[in-house]
Amino acid sequence: FWKLCLMAILIVSAFVVAIVLLSANLSSSSSSDINLPIEPNDAPTSFPTYVITTFPTNKPSLKPSSQSDKEYIAMQRGILEQYYIETDGENSWYTPENWLNDEVSVCKWYGCECNNIDIDIITSFDTPGMLNPQQVPTVIGMLSKLEVLTIDGGSFVGTLPSELFRLHQLKRMTVISTMEGMLPSEIGELRSLEYLELRENRFDGQIPTELGLLQSLTYLDISDHEYFTEATIPSEIGNLSSLTIINMYHNGLRGKIPTELFGLTSLEQLNLSQNSLSGSLHVSLESALLRELDLSENALTGMIPGALSSLKSLEVLKMQYNKLSSIEPGLLSNGNETLSSHLSTISLHLNKINYLPTNYVRLPLLSYINLSFNKIEGKLPMFQNVAQIDLNANKFTGSIPTEYGLLGNLTRLVLDFNLGITGTVPTELMECDKLSLISLHDTGISGNITFCDSLGENLVVRVPDVSMCVEECLCRCQTLF
């Protein structure tokens, strides 16, 4: 019996030792030789980030970081040093003031600004001007806390690096240089942008529709690009409900003006001048805050909408140098009633307008109107209140209304090249003591001008023939040529 018990104890002990040895061997193998695949549920939920610690030669050295302010400041310093090296700041910059000076905060390096100078985190960077234009260093895209970026002065060439569109805290971006290529669609990733100014570059291709993703944008200026000759205005810009100013002039843009632009309820200024925009104009009354509308120097056709006078905030209307054929009733008057309009400037010269829908312009705040170089027929219109009237090079007929003498603020009256205007110069004009110019060259006006001395000493009278002026007025009279 005792022999059997002893044998059982030995067998159990041997079994336990074997299990212990096997466990130790498996543990060693799993830590050194065995690479198990990571299942989806076992995948890491976070990855280490890195900061630049030095820029010894070409590439920065990296180390893991939690991106605390202290570590970001160290990385930021390295980025700026790298930027200085890549752009040859020592020899190429106009003003390298304070750069790489260990005794001066980076907030005081030329072109750098901080919201809080005590923290030394740069939030605004204005690229220093350089003697020799070069590529924009991609390292700028690592300044992740930038809120304002300005690339100005023609110091850079080439394309905009995609790294710039990773600056997701950017609120203001200005690029006024000679950048080339297509405007990247990645610009739509800058969702915090409030101000975007891209002027005097050489961008070509199309304007990206992704601009419509910048919902915080209040100011948009894409102007002075001579190679946008095939581009159109994206209707997606009409999604930007916070926009107050749109400047897209001098680009050579084609196509129609998207009606969506007039649905922007916060819009105050729209300048699409000096392009090749075509088609007719459709205005929505939703643009109640629109103060200035400049569509001059395009190829617009059709009728000028009368609804423009219903935009209660509209002060300046410029549509000269187009192919517009008529003015819709309601723009200049509302029958016998004065319009409740703020229009002060109307420039419609150099179109193909052949008649006015009213003989009385009833705009109480109007100070300047230019309808010259059209084909307008009929009698000269009367005005409720105006300072400068330019109606030259039309087909007006009849005499100069004596009511012009009631325009107490009148300073300029230009009626040249209207052979159908006849009669004499009404003496009532002597009541306009602010008059500085009366221009009647190439009209059918006759008779003598006798009231020069009754008006201001700076008055100039342009007449078909100086013999029309009596001796007292000769010093004021001149011919156009």
Side-chain angles (χ1 to χ4, degrees):
F1 175 78
W2 288 111
K3 289 181 180 181
L4 289 174
C5 289
L6 181 60
M7 184 177 295
I9 291 171
L10 290 174
I11 291 172
V12 170
S13 298
F15 183 71
V16 170
V17 170
I19 289 175
V20 170
L21 291 174
L22 180 61
S23 298
N25 186 51
L26 286 174
S27 175
S28 175
S29 297
S30 65
S31 64
S32 59
D33 299 326
I34 299 175
N35 293 317
L36 298 176
I38 299 177
E39 297 297 328
N41 291 335
D42 298 325
T45 57
S46 62
F47 297 89
T49 56
Y50 298 89
V51 295
I52 301 175
T53 54
T54 59
F55 284 89
T57 51
N58 294 325
K59 294 186 177 181
S61 59
L62 305 172
K63 69 176 183 181
S65 169
S66 62
Q67 286 286 5
S68 66
D69 282 350
K70 184 176 181 180
E71 291 167 329
Y72 179 82
I73 290 169
M75 178 190 75
Q76 173 186 262
R77 170 78 183 219
I79 292 171
L80 295 176
E81 289 177 356
Q82 182 71 7
Y83 178 87
Y84 187 84
I85 293 169
E86 287 187 21
T87 56
D88 191 17
E90 183 176 356
N91 301 306
S92 181
W93 291 13
Y94 292 117
T95 310
E97 181 181 354
N98 291 332
W99 274 73
L100 306 190
N101 187 338
D102 293 333
E103 298 180 358
V104 178
S105 164
V106 293
C107 301
K108 295 183 179 180
W109 290 9
Y110 183 82
C112 301
E113 293 183 14
C114 305
N115 284 343
N116 187 341
I117 197 170
D118 295 327
I119 299 180
D120 275 3
I121 291 180
I122 295 172
T123 54
S124 176
F125 184 49
D126 187 345
T127 56
M130 296 182 292
L131 294 171
N132 303 309
Q134 52 190 283
Q135 298 278 342
V136 177
T138 60
V139 72
I140 296 178
M142 299 183 70
L143 294 172
S144 59
K145 295 187 182 296
L146 273 187
E147 297 178 7
V148 179
L149 174 62
T150 302
I151 300 174
D152 197 354
S155 297
F156 294 97
V157 294
T159 59
L160 284 175
S162 60
E163 287 80 359
L164 298 185
F165 304 108
R166 300 172 188 168
L167 299 173
H168 295 151
Q169 294 189 34
L170 212 58
K171 295 180 179 179
R172 184 182 180 110
M173 183 178 189
T174 299
V175 181
I176 305 176
S177 194
T178 53
M179 306 306 298
E180 301 172 342
M182 296 183 66
L183 192 57
S185 60
E186 290 89 347
I187 198 167
E189 297 177 14
L190 301 178
R191 303 296 175 85
S192 298
L193 266 188
E194 300 172 3
Y195 181 104
L196 177 60
E197 183 178 12
L198 307 173
R199 290 194 296 111
E200 300 175 22
N201 292 287
R202 296 177 181 175
F203 295 128
D204 54 25
Q206 291 292 330
I207 297 174
T209 59
E210 286 78 4
L211 283 174
L213 300 174
L214 306 180
Q215 292 296 314
S216 298
L217 207 62
T218 62
Y219 182 99
L220 174 62
D221 190 339
I222 303 177
S223 303
D224 288 314
H225 295 93
E226 57 183 304
Y227 299 111
F228 266 148
T229 54
E230 299 300 324
T232 57
I233 300 174
S235 60
E236 287 79 1
I237 292 177
N239 297 332
L240 306 180
S241 58
S242 298
L243 269 179
T244 59
I245 294 177
I246 299 176
N247 288 327
M248 300 181 75
Y249 58 84
H250 197 206
N251 288 316
L253 299 172
R254 297 182 178 276
K256 295 183 178 182
I257 298 173
T259 56
E260 289 84 353
L261 299 188
F262 292 99
L264 293 170
T265 56
S266 299
L267 194 63
E268 299 178 13
Q269 177 180 312
L270 176 59
N271 188 343
L272 305 177
S273 63
Q274 302 178 64
N275 286 295
S276 298
L277 299 169
S278 58
S280 56
L281 185 63
H282 301 279
V283 177
S284 166
L285 298 183
E286 295 178 53
S287 301
L289 299 180
L290 190 64
R291 293 184 294 102
E292 181 174 339
L293 176 61
D294 191 347
L295 306 178
S296 60
E297 299 186 50
N298 280 288
L300 299 174
T301 56
M303 186 175 287
I304 301 171
L308 288 169
S309 64
S310 299
L311 301 178
K312 303 304 182 183
S313 299
L314 190 63
E315 300 174 3
V316 178
L317 174 61
K318 296 181 179 180
M319 299 182 70
Q320 67 268 24
Y321 289 91
N322 277 286
K323 300 178 182 180
L324 298 161
S325 57
S326 59
I327 300 174
E328 194 172 54
L331 177 65
L332 303 177
S333 70
N334 183 21
N336 294 325
E337 297 181 11
T338 298
L339 287 168
S340 57
S341 168
H342 286 85
L343 270 172
S344 62
T345 298
I346 298 178
S347 297
L348 301 177
H349 50 286
L350 285 156
N351 277 287
K352 297 182 177 181
I353 302 169
N354 51 27
Y355 79 98
L356 294 179
T358 180
N359 198 39
Y360 202 136
V361 177
R362 299 179 184 273
L363 296 169
L365 300 180
L366 188 65
S367 64
Y368 173 87
I369 184 166
N370 191 338
L371 300 174
S372 63
F373 292 93
N374 280 288
K375 301 177 180 180
I376 304 173
E377 299 179 349
K379 295 182 178 181
L380 289 168
M382 292 186 288
F383 299 91
Q384 187 174 23
N385 184 34
V386 71
Q388 299 183 58
I389 301 173
D390 193 340
L391 305 176
N392 73 305
N394 279 287
K395 297 181 179 181
F396 287 112
T397 57
S399 58
I400 300 174
T402 58
E403 288 84 355
Y404 283 7
L406 300 175
L407 301 174
N409 293 320
L410 189 62
T411 60
R412 291 169 57 91
L413 177 61
V414 182
L415 303 175
D416 302 315
F417 304 108
N418 283 283
L419 290 173
I421 297 178
T422 57
T424 60
V425 179
T427 57
E428 285 81 1
L429 285 178
M430 66 184 298
E431 301 297 327
C432 302
D433 55 4
K434 296 180 181 179
L435 261 177
S436 62
L437 175 64
I438 301 175
S439 195
L440 306 170
H441 186 82
D442 240 0
T443 65
I445 294 291
S446 59
N448 292 330
I449 295 176
T450 60
F451 54 83
C452 297
D453 280 349
S454 302
L455 298 173
E457 61 181 18
N458 296 321
L459 174 67
V460 173
V461 181
R462 293 177 183 155
V463 291
D465 190 336
V466 292
S467 64
M468 294 175 58
C469 296
V470 297
E471 184 175 353
E472 293 82 3
C473 291
L474 281 176
C475 62
R476 310 285 186 86
C477 290
Q478 58 183 242
T479 58
L480 192 59
F481 303 109

